[in-house]
Amino acid sequence: AHTLGALLDDTSPMPDDLIGPRLLTPGGMLVLGGAPKVGKSDFLISLLVHAAAGMPFLRFTSPRALRVFYLQAEIQYHYLRERLQQLRLDPTVIAGARDTLVVTPKLRILLDEQGVPLVAAAIRQAFPGTPPDVICIDPIRNVFDGGPGGEGENDNGAMLFFLQSRVEALRDEVAPEAGIILAHHTKKLSKQQVKDDPFLSLSGASALRGFYTSGMILFRPDEEETPRELHIELRNGPGLNSLLIDKRGGAWVELDRRGERLVRKDIG
């Protein structure tokens, strides 16, 4: 515990963001949520590749090339390979991330008492010298362990158990200062509910929102159109406006909202 005076007198520099501005801080947790097939994994892969290369992605930046371990439990090896090869990335980004981003193909494993040590051993094997800066788990549902009761990720108590006793235990074992990124599905809500508070759509939202340091929701406002809205919530920094993004020519880009049609949307 620290006195008020000690906190006020400490003017030492703030630690660098792993992914700025304040999206992922050292020892922090970022949760990316979205409905199935909205493009979460694709967006996440692009974010991780750029972070591993130390290059900016959309409005997000990393101070240096980060060591990233991507525990991926959804896409099989050959389709993961195909997806990565289809990304339209700058050659300098690819060159910078070739050895600093380590990805697993689809795993059949739970992060339980047996699974956590296995994953920790895999992380140490991938980064034998220096621990990783970022540990990413995609998606929560496929590795979820809710504890002795066996509840699912919609139960707040089970979600809190998973975050504290599984995810943070894994981080503490291999890299206490690493940032964690979790990909998570959202519940079915109306478009108006998502607009009012998009982060309520996260499964197990009460426990998650009380635990994470930042959240992102990827949401398609019009199912017949490809642009997505990216809503961002930060605990350790000022609020960020939502972004309108889309995948064009194999790369994620930010769209200018001033180009949105306001009237005569169907016939122009």
Side-chain angles (χ1 to χ4, degrees):
H2 308 279
T3 64
L4 172 63
L7 292 168
L8 293 175
D9 293 341
D10 186 355
T11 56
S12 58
M14 294 293 291
D16 289 335
D17 296 335
L18 294 171
I19 302 175
R22 298 290 174 93
L23 189 70
L24 185 63
T25 52
M29 180 182 291
L30 164 65
V31 174
L32 169 63
K37 310 303 181 190
V38 77
K40 282 192 309 300
S41 293
D42 204 288
F43 176 85
L44 184 56
I45 289 170
S46 295
L47 175 65
L48 293 178
V49 170
H50 283 81
M55 304 292 283
F57 174 65
L58 300 177
R59 297 185 186 179
F60 312 122
T61 58
S62 297
R64 55 180 171 80
L66 304 178
R67 295 175 299 278
V68 181
F69 188 86
Y70 182 20
L71 178 66
Q72 191 276 131
E74 204 165 39
I75 308 169
Q76 294 166 312
Y77 172 80
H78 294 291
Y79 306 101
L80 175 66
R81 170 172 65 95
E82 180 184 53
R83 182 173 293 193
L84 289 169
Q85 292 171 0
Q86 288 174 347
L87 290 177
R88 295 292 179 264
L89 296 171
D90 190 284
T92 56
V93 173
I94 296 174
R98 287 187 74 92
D99 300 318
T100 50
L101 173 61
V102 177
V103 189
T104 68
K106 181 177 181 178
L107 296 177
R108 291 180 177 85
I109 189 173
L110 291 181
L111 278 183
D112 53 15
E113 289 183 354
Q114 289 78 39
V116 169
L118 289 173
V119 174
I123 294 174
R124 290 194 194 97
Q125 185 177 354
F127 298 101
T130 312
D133 300 298
V134 178
I135 299 170
C136 180
I137 299 172
D138 176 19
I140 289 177
R141 176 177 295 173
N142 289 21
V143 298
F144 188 82
D145 173 38
E151 291 86 355
E153 68 268 15
N154 288 311
D155 183 87
N156 284 315
M159 177 61 74
L160 193 60
F161 174 88
F162 176 72
L163 295 174
Q164 288 180 327
S165 302
R166 301 299 184 233
V167 176
E168 290 216 316
L170 172 64
R171 170 169 61 187
D172 291 344
E173 192 168 334
V174 293
E177 289 300 309
I180 291 174
I181 301 178
L182 303 176
H184 196 30
H185 296 299
T186 52
K187 296 177 288 190
K188 287 188 177 180
L189 295 178
S190 69
K191 286 183 169 53
Q192 187 59 46
Q193 287 174 304
V194 173
K195 287 181 179 179
D196 291 343
D197 191 346
F199 294 93
L200 282 179
S201 63
L202 289 168
S203 300
S206 299
L208 266 176
R209 291 186 83 178
F211 206 87
Y212 64 58
T213 52
S214 54
M216 293 196 298
I217 295 289
L218 195 60
F219 170 67
R220 182 174 283 160
D222 187 341
E223 293 297 331
E224 296 182 0
E225 301 291 336
T226 57
R228 289 84 153 178
E229 286 194 2
L230 183 68
H231 296 269
I232 305 163
E233 181 176 63
L234 302 181
R235 172 168 296 166
N236 292 335
L240 296 177
N241 293 330
S242 62
L243 309 182
L244 186 66
I245 62 175
D246 198 6
K247 196 171 184 186
R248 302 279 172 90
W252 289 92
V253 295
E254 183 177 356
L255 306 181
D256 189 347
R257 287 185 181 276
R258 290 175 297 179
E260 286 184 280
R261 183 181 289 276
L262 300 178
V263 297
R264 295 183 178 177
K265 292 188 178 187
D266 298 321
I267 302 175

